[in-house]
């Protein structure tokens, strides 16, 4: 009981449970009432047909010529679940027994009839449903055959019981009763069972095509006249007298055109008329026999054969109709699947050399010419010349049986000149001797998938080359750092020799040129040391306009159009300038040294996905030339390193690759449009920012050498650079402890930790801990330790986020930059 419920008031749970019980009880009561009413209906129907069956009875032997009651029982059993069968058998058995007892009070004989009828109906229904394993509607040939076979076999058994009663009480001989029971009950099962199921099952089978009610009425009119004519041969004699087999021809009309209800009703009407006419001696000719029993037997056999023939015709027609409907549905589903997959179908008759195409396949191939015959040679003509031999060879292998299936991807050139990639798959169908009859299969346009795959391969290739270029540039930076710093020291020491100073100046210039090349490689590899800050693209372009004009030459006009408002983006100005220079030089070379190059800046707003860049606001640099343009087949290759269409000695193939690397390093995007013979447009889109522009502070002058007496732990795995750096620092008054890796560094720390003031380490090392991990390890021992980190990569690319008390030095560095970084690190 709920806490809030008043005493004596049922809780919510009690009310709910009581409601559920009452609802369930109500449903059970309704179901029981319906089932009781159903049993009452079947009992009444059984009583009616029981009395009707006695109308066809042989009074001498007390056995009917046709017994429809057993057909009603079998049909009723087939229309309900098996768990309800005992109730139905009890009702119809009681009705039959009581009726027989009232009409003929021979209890023992009626008990044999009861046992035979109940056993016969239950066995027939059980065997038919078991053999068919589905709801029986007699719309399948196997269902009709199962009913006929089961009726014959089961009646042969139960007739032994049914015939025993009349024989035991002297009404007829055993075999005469057996034959009459067997034929009459079999006829009742074959005739009435399909009639009952067709009228009781709401989901009964439908006709091959829906007939108009008028056609059904016309059939029954013709059928009634034909039955009357056949069963009244006493009135029509001679060669014009109708024959019974003409009814079978007329029954084809109903079997092929109308519902099963019409077929079963017509055969029952025929049975009643033929057997009644035979019983009253109205039939001659086809049904004439030596005596009355022979005539009845012929009539029974005719009705049974006619009924089974009509059911078989209807079932075979229904099966073909269902097969056609299923095939049509399957074809529709297949067509829907093919349309969803954007696939077309084709079929090639090898003997006639004709190819049939689906509408989708025609659209894929772009066939618009009505003169296209669809022959194999014309199909080959659509294939790209470079792939034609591959396709022909694959087809030949499939025809010869060397491969089970045909599968190939190839290019086609449509009649409008467009190039598309197709995926074709097919199979060869052969005759009994193995000779190829036809090929059939599918075709799909996979151009977009091919482009994605090509882009993926291109990206992977560029990433691999970028990794290689970055590694080479990083190692080369170590060498350049040593050369640069030693050359500067030598130049300062050569006070009395101008010639030596000039030579050392050349070395310094060469190292700067080498540093520029490594910077270009690192930019391509996206491992450049970035010095990103908010900059205005208008200012960057304007600052380099004069230099670009001199670089392009007098025969090339330079037009600069700047946006009226600021275009602020976070970028390294030097690298952005390198992008502009590379694109301008590339534009000049595309025009053979004469024409106009236009450089413009503007804001680009992208509002939808699927464009060259994600939605957002971008600061854009556009470089336009009036040159030769880029062929479509080269557009996907222009970003590859070392790819160039320039003559030997005129280009390295790194210009656009460097542009690609720098732009991606800034999370930007590049868009290219080009027309052969008219020129190209390169657009660089860099994300805009709201950060304010700050002016860079001037680099302080390098400190003079002094006796600092401070100890630096130098960790560098490049021996040459380590020795050079140590010598320079010692020349400027520092004490240096050197280590080639983290193991040596930790050992030196353990021995001299009390006097080490600064850890100077490379971020990337090949052995042991890297610089980041080494700094973290030593700071566990002294949290206030000052750290100077250096790398040929940027701190971000090297995976290092600077902590408090850390300074970053990029390689290659000059002596002044080295001393400045050390001084700032020690000063905090």
């Amino acid at each position: 009981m709920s806490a809030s419920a008043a005493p004596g008031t049922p809780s919510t749970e009690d009310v709910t449970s009581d409601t559920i019980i009452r609802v369930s009880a109500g449903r059970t009561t309704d179901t029981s009432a319906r089932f009781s009413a159903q049993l009452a209906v079947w009992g009444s129907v059984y009583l009616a047909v029981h009395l009707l069956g006695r109308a066809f009875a042989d009074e001498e032997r007390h056995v009917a010529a046709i017994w429809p009651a057993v057909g009603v029982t079998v049909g009723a059993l087939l229309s309900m679940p098996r768990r309800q069968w005992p109730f139905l058998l009890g009702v119809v058995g009681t009705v039959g027994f009581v009726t027989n007892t009232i009409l003929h009070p021979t209890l023992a004989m009626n008990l044999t009839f009861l046992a035979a009828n109940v056993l016969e109906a239950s066995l027939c229904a059980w065997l038919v449903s078991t053999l068919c394993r589905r709801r029986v509607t007699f719309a399948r040939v196997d269902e009709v055959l199962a009913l006929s076979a089961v009726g014959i076999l089961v009646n042969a058994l139960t007739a032994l019981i049914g015939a025993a009663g009349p024989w035991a009480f002297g009404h007829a001989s055993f075999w005469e009763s057996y034959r009459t029971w067997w034929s009459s009950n079999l006829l009742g099962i074959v005739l009435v069972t399909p009639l009952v199921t067709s009228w009781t099952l709401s989901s009964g089978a439908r006709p091959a095509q829906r007939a108009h009610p008028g056609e059904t009425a016309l059939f029954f009119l013709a059928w009634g006249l034909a039955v009357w004519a056949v069963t009244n041969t006493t009135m029509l004699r001679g060669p014009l007298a109708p024959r019974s087999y003409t009814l079978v021809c007329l029954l084809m009309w109903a079997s092929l055109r109308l519902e099963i209800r019409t077929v079963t009703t017509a055969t029952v009407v025929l049975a009643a008329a033929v057997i009644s006419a035979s019983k009253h001696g109205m039939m001659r000719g086809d049904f004439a026999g030596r005596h009355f029993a022979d005539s009845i037997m012929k009539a029974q056999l005719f009705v049974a054969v006619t009924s089974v023939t009509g059911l078989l015709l209807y079932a075979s027609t229904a099966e073909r109709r269902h097969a056609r409907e299923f095939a049509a549905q399957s074809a529709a589903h297949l067509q829907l699947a093919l349309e969803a997959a954007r696939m077309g179908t084709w079929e090639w008759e090898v003997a006639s050399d004709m190819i049939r195409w689906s509408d989708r396949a025609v659209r894929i191939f772009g066939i618009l010419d009505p003169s296209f015959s669809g022959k194999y040679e014309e199909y080959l003509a659509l294939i790209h010349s470079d792939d034609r031999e591959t396709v022909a060879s694959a087809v030949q292998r499939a025809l010869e049986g060397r491969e089970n299936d045909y599968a190939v991807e190839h290019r086609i050139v449509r009649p409008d000149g467009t190039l598309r990639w197709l995926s074709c798959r097919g199979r060869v169908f052969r005759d009994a001797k193995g000779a190829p009859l036809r090929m059939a299969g599918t075709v799909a346009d996979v151009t977009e998938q091919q482009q994605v795959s090509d882009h993926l391969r291109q990206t992977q290739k560029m990433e691999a080359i970028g990794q290689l270029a970055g590694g080479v540039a990083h190692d080369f930076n170590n060498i350049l750092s040593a050369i640069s710093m030693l050359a500067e020291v030598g130049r300062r020491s050569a006070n009395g020799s101008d010639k030596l100073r000039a030579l050392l100046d050349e070395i310094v210039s060469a190292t700067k040129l080498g540093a520029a090349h490594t910077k270009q490689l690192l930019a391509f590899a996206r491992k450049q040391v970035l010095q990103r800050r908010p900059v205005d693209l208008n200012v960057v372009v304007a600052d380099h306009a004069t230099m670009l004009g001199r670089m392009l030459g007098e025969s090339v006009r330079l037009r600069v159009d700047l946006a009226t408002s600021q275009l602020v983006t976070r970028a390294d100005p030097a690298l952005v300038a390198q992008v502009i220079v590379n694109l301008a030089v590339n534009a000049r070379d595309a025009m053979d040294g004469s024409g106009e190059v236009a450089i413009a800046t503007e804001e680009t707003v992208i509002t939808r996905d699927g464009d060259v860049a994600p939605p957002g606001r971008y600061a854009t640099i556009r470089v336009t030339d009036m040159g030769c343009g880029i062929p479509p087949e080269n557009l996907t290759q222009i970003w590859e390193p070392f790819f160039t269409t320039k003559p030997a000695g005129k280009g390295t193939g790194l210009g656009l690759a460097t542009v690609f690397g720098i732009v991606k390093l800034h999370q930007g995007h590049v868009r290219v449009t080009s027309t052969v013979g008219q020129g190209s447009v390169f657009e660089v889109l860099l994300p805009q920012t709201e950060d304010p522009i700050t002016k860079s502070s001037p680099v302080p002058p390098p400190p003079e050498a002094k006796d600092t007496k401070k100890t630096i732990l130098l960790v560098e795995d490049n021996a040459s650079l380590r020795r050079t750096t140590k010598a320079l620092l010692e020349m400027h008054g520092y004490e240096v402890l050197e280590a080639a890796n983290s193991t040596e560094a930790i050992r030196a720390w353990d021995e001299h930790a009390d006097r080490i003031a600064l850890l100077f380490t490379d971020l990337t090392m090949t052995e042991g801990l890297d610089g980041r991990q080494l700094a973290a390890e030593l700071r566990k021992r002294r949290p206030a330790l000052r750290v100077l980190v250096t790398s040929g990569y940027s701190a971000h690319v090297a995976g290092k986020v600077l902590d408090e008390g850390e300074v970053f030095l990029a390689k290659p560095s000059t002596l002044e930059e080295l001393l400045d970084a050390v001084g700032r690190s020690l000063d905090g």
Side-chain angles (χ1 to χ4, degrees):
M1 181 180 295
S2 173
S4 59
T9 302
S11 65
T12 304
E13 290 81 358
D14 295 335
V15 173
T16 304
S17 301
D18 181 64
T19 302
I20 293 174
I21 292 172
R22 279 184 288 152
V23 169
S24 301
R27 291 177 179 174
T28 303
T29 302
D30 292 343
T31 303
S32 300
R34 286 197 301 269
F35 181 57
S36 299
Q38 186 180 14
L39 291 178
V41 170
W42 283 121
S44 301
V45 172
Y46 186 87
L47 175 61
V49 297
H50 185 97
L51 296 174
L52 182 63
R54 295 189 64 86
F56 297 95
D58 180 357
E59 297 297 338
E60 294 182 2
R61 291 165 291 177
H62 303 281
V63 178
I66 177 173
W67 190 246
V70 67
V72 169
T73 306
V74 175
L77 291 175
L78 291 176
S79 65
M80 63 176 55
R82 288 186 180 182
R83 66 177 182 274
Q84 297 177 354
W85 286 11
F87 301 99
L88 178 66
L89 291 173
V91 170
V92 299
T94 301
V95 171
F97 178 76
V98 171
T99 305
N100 285 332
T101 303
I102 293 174
L103 297 176
H104 291 281
T106 308
L107 183 62
M109 186 172 68
N110 291 336
L111 287 175
T112 60
F113 288 168
L114 173 63
N117 284 328
V118 170
L119 179 62
E120 184 176 68
S122 57
L123 274 178
C124 281
W126 180 77
L127 287 174
V128 169
S129 61
T130 301
L131 290 174
C132 297
R133 296 184 179 181
R134 57 179 174 268
R135 175 65 66 86
V136 178
T137 61
F138 299 104
R140 299 279 295 269
V141 171
D142 61 336
E143 296 174 355
V144 178
L145 295 177
L147 179 68
S148 303
V150 167
I152 292 172
L153 296 176
V154 171
N155 271 288
L157 174 64
T158 57
L160 295 173
I161 303 173
W167 170 73
F169 291 94
H171 293 291
S173 66
F174 180 82
W175 292 112
E176 287 182 358
S177 297
Y178 178 85
R179 185 181 67 173
T180 306
W181 179 287
W182 183 84
S183 59
S184 62
N185 280 29
L186 174 62
L187 190 60
I189 291 174
V190 171
L191 278 173
V192 181
T193 299
L195 177 70
V196 171
T197 57
S198 64
W199 285 95
T200 56
L201 296 178
S202 59
S203 59
R206 296 306 179 194
Q209 61 181 40
R210 177 73 64 177
H212 191 274
E215 184 179 0
T216 303
L218 181 61
F219 165 77
F220 275 114
L221 177 62
W223 182 255
L225 291 174
V227 169
W228 175 83
V230 169
T231 56
N232 286 273
T233 55
T234 56
M235 300 180 63
L236 297 174
R237 297 174 180 268
L240 297 180
R243 297 294 182 181
S244 58
Y245 57 78
T246 58
L247 293 173
V248 179
C249 299
L250 188 60
L251 190 61
M252 292 182 182
W253 178 7
S255 300
L256 300 177
R257 289 276 302 172
L258 307 176
E259 292 186 348
I260 190 173
R261 294 173 177 176
T262 304
V263 176
T264 55
T265 303
T267 54
V268 169
V269 170
L270 171 65
V274 169
I275 295 177
S276 177
S278 298
K279 180 180 177 181
H280 293 88
M282 298 174 62
M283 296 190 70
R284 300 288 187 270
D286 295 338
F287 301 99
R290 290 176 299 175
H291 46 74
F292 176 73
D294 286 344
S295 297
I296 288 294
M297 181 62 69
K298 287 185 177 181
Q300 289 174 326
L301 183 61
F302 169 72
V303 172
V305 171
T306 303
S307 176
V308 172
T309 301
L311 289 174
L312 287 174
L313 284 173
Y314 173 81
S316 61
T317 304
E319 283 187 346
R320 287 195 298 272
R321 173 178 60 84
H322 290 315
R324 288 195 301 269
E325 291 178 352
F326 182 77
Q329 291 177 356
S330 298
H333 293 161
L334 176 60
Q335 187 63 32
L336 180 62
L338 290 173
E339 287 294 329
R342 299 182 180 181
M343 299 175 67
T345 58
W346 54 268
E347 185 175 2
W348 176 34
E349 297 290 344
V350 178
S352 61
D353 190 25
M354 290 298 297
I355 302 178
R356 290 188 292 272
W357 313 75
S358 68
D359 293 339
R360 168 69 68 174
V362 170
R363 293 196 298 270
I364 288 174
F365 279 91
I367 301 173
L368 302 175
D369 187 359
S371 65
F372 183 82
S373 65
K375 291 185 176 294
Y376 177 64
E377 291 298 328
E378 292 194 47
Y379 157 70
L380 286 180
L382 294 172
I383 298 174
H384 193 280
S385 58
D386 293 343
D387 299 339
R388 198 168 297 154
E389 182 61 31
T390 301
V391 173
S393 177
V395 171
Q396 190 63 30
R397 289 196 302 272
L399 291 177
E400 293 175 355
R402 287 182 284 163
E403 295 181 1
N404 293 330
D405 295 325
Y406 163 75
V408 66
E409 288 190 358
H410 62 83
R411 292 165 292 178
I412 64 166
V413 180
R414 286 179 171 177
D416 60 2
T418 57
L419 184 72
R420 306 295 292 179
W421 274 94
L422 303 185
S423 175
C424 292
R425 297 181 178 274
R427 177 165 295 179
V428 180
F429 298 88
R430 306 178 184 276
D431 59 17
K433 297 181 180 180
L437 293 175
R438 60 189 179 92
M439 286 183 68
T442 61
V443 58
D445 189 330
V446 294
T447 304
E448 287 75 15
Q449 295 92 314
Q450 190 70 28
Q451 290 172 347
V452 171
S453 179
D454 290 343
H455 177 71
L456 177 60
R457 287 194 295 269
Q458 176 72 9
T459 301
Q460 291 173 338
K461 180 169 66 175
M462 295 188 70
E463 288 291 339
I465 296 176
Q467 290 289 340
L468 175 62
V472 171
H474 177 268
D475 293 340
F476 192 50
N477 272 338
N478 288 333
I479 300 173
L480 290 178
S481 293
I483 296 174
S484 176
M485 287 187 288
L486 287 173
E488 288 192 22
V489 171
R491 189 168 63 86
R492 291 185 181 185
S493 302
N495 294 327
S497 176
D498 293 337
K499 185 176 182 180
L500 179 59
R501 182 184 292 273
L503 292 174
L504 292 172
D505 287 341
E506 288 297 325
I507 294 175
V508 173
S509 298
T511 57
K512 289 182 178 179
L513 181 60
H517 284 304
T518 57
K519 188 175 183 181
Q520 195 173 35
L521 285 175
L522 286 171
F524 161 70
R526 299 182 224 174
K527 294 182 177 180
Q528 172 63 26
V529 178
L530 285 180
Q531 299 177 4
R532 296 177 63 181
R533 56 185 175 84
V535 295
D536 185 358
L537 282 190
N538 292 326
V539 175
V540 177
V541 173
D543 288 346
H544 292 80
T546 303
M547 179 197 69
L548 287 173
R550 292 195 301 267
M551 182 182 297
L552 297 179
E554 296 180 357
S555 59
V556 175
R557 298 184 303 276
L558 175 64
R559 188 177 81 246
V560 179
D561 297 320
L562 301 180
T564 56
S565 59
Q566 282 189 334
L567 299 176
V568 182
T569 182
R570 288 189 59 82
D572 186 328
L575 294 182
V576 173
Q578 188 175 355
V579 168
I580 299 171
V581 169
N582 286 5
L583 291 178
V585 171
N586 193 70
R588 179 199 63 189
D589 295 341
M591 297 187 300
D592 291 332
S594 63
E596 181 181 85
V597 175
I599 301 177
T601 59
E602 66 178 11
E603 181 183 52
T604 300
V605 179
I606 295 179
T607 58
R608 63 178 183 177
D609 292 324
D611 209 326
V612 66
R617 295 169 56 248
Y618 295 87
T620 302
I621 305 172
R622 180 186 297 108
V623 179
T624 307
D625 65 67
M626 304 166 56
C628 59
I630 304 172
E633 60 269 20
N634 291 342
L635 276 176
T636 58
Q637 297 177 276
I638 60 176
W639 308 114
E640 295 183 16
F642 312 115
F643 174 81
T644 180
T645 57
K646 298 177 183 178
K650 295 295 184 180
T652 63
L654 282 176
L656 292 181
T658 300
V659 169
F660 183 86
I662 293 174
V663 172
K664 291 302 178 183
L665 197 61
H666 287 79
Q667 288 80 50
H669 305 272
V670 185
R671 177 164 51 194
V672 183
T673 55
S674 183
T675 304
V676 176
Q678 299 183 16
S680 305
V681 178
F682 286 79
E683 294 177 282
V684 176
L685 288 76
L686 302 176
Q688 288 199 57
T689 181
E690 301 293 337
D691 297 343
I693 299 176
T694 57
K695 295 183 179 180
S696 59
S697 57
V699 178
E704 296 294 332
K706 56 184 178 179
D707 184 12
T708 59
K709 300 300 182 182
K710 290 186 178 181
T711 301
I712 300 174
L713 176 56
L714 174 63
V715 187
E716 171 63 58
D717 57 357
N718 185 280
S720 176
L721 180 57
R722 185 176 66 250
R723 289 193 298 268
T724 301
T725 304
K726 177 183 178 183
L728 292 175
L729 290 175
E730 288 178 342
M731 288 175 58
H732 286 77
Y734 296 103
E735 181 182 359
V736 179
L737 301 175
E738 61 175 315
N741 51 54
S742 60
T743 303
E744 294 181 8
I746 293 175
R747 188 182 305 120
W749 175 271
D750 293 338
E751 295 176 2
H752 309 284
D754 55 339
R755 58 193 184 92
I756 295 176
L758 175 67
L759 171 64
F760 183 8
T761 179
D762 190 3
L763 277 178
T764 306
M765 291 185 288
T766 57
E767 295 183 18
L769 304 178
D770 60 21
R772 174 183 53 195
Q773 296 168 336
L774 176 61
E777 179 65 27
L778 295 184
R779 278 193 160 178
K780 291 179 181 178
R781 309 181 186 190
R782 188 196 296 172
L785 176 66
R786 299 294 181 178
V787 179
L788 172 60
V789 292
T790 182
S791 177
Y793 305 144
S794 70
H796 172 71
V797 173
K800 175 65 177 175
V801 178
L802 298 182
D803 297 327
E804 185 179 355
E806 292 183 349
V807 175
F808 179 77
L809 175 64
K811 296 179 184 179
S813 58
T814 64
L815 178 60
E816 289 82 359
E817 292 170 341
L818 171 64
L819 297 176
D820 175 65
V822 171
R824 286 188 290 112
S825 298
L826 291 171
D827 294 341

